[in-house]
Amino acid sequence: MSRSTSSDYTPRLGDLMNAIQSRHIKLWFAAKNLNWDLAAYELAQIKGGLSDAAGMYSGMPVSNLTTMSDPLDLLAAAIKAKDGKKFAASFGTLTAGCNACHQTMERGFVVIQQPVASPFSNQSFAPAKK
């Protein structure tokens, strides 16, 4: 039985988006708990996931991903400044961008929202004690 190498494997777009959605949730709860290091990490993971999706799926309009760069940059600035108000506003813009992309990809039935509860009961979002 042969195994495929990593160069053969392309994850399904839905699987990439599910990973990004999980990061979206974690990003929210990290910032809500003022864990700015975790928020920065999750934001970097979202950026990487979007970049991976764009590279693997040529059918995704480039404009969908480039319009995400402003909200991502605003979130990065809010995280760096440790500014919860700016973070919340930027997070809303990011979420709206996700939904706009879904609309243009004829996936408008996938509606992302600000998280209300964490499905990650096995992870603390509080900053680590030093």
Side-chain angles (χ1 to χ4, degrees):
M1 180 173 178
S2 69
R3 292 182 158 209
S4 63
T5 63
S6 61
S7 63
D8 305 307
Y9 177 70
T10 301
R12 296 176 60 119
L13 182 57
D15 294 336
L16 288 170
M17 291 297 124
N18 279 336
I20 292 168
Q21 183 179 5
S22 292
R23 301 293 185 179
H24 180 264
I25 294 167
K26 289 182 172 198
L27 174 62
W28 175 258
F29 283 104
K32 184 176 177 182
N33 285 279
L34 306 178
N35 189 342
W36 300 111
D37 291 336
L38 179 58
Y41 173 79
E42 295 299 347
L43 181 62
Q45 296 302 306
I46 289 171
K47 287 179 180 181
L50 290 172
S51 178
D52 289 347
M56 291 179 200
Y57 289 91
S58 60
M60 291 182 67
V62 172
S63 62
N64 285 3
L65 296 170
T66 56
T67 58
M68 298 300 279
S69 64
D70 284 344
L72 293 169
D73 290 345
L74 290 170
L75 277 166
I79 291 167
K80 185 175 182 179
K82 301 179 180 181
D83 187 326
K85 285 186 180 185
K86 285 183 183 177
F87 176 88
S90 300
F91 189 86
T93 304
L94 174 68
T95 303
C98 294
N99 290 321
C101 181
H102 296 164
Q103 289 288 332
T104 63
M105 296 296 294
E106 299 181 5
R107 302 291 186 273
F109 50 85
V110 178
V111 180
I112 305 301
Q113 66 181 18
Q114 177 181 310
V116 294
S118 173
F120 301 101
S121 62
N122 63 336
Q123 181 175 359
S124 171
F125 291 95
K129 294 178 182 173
K130 295 182 181 190

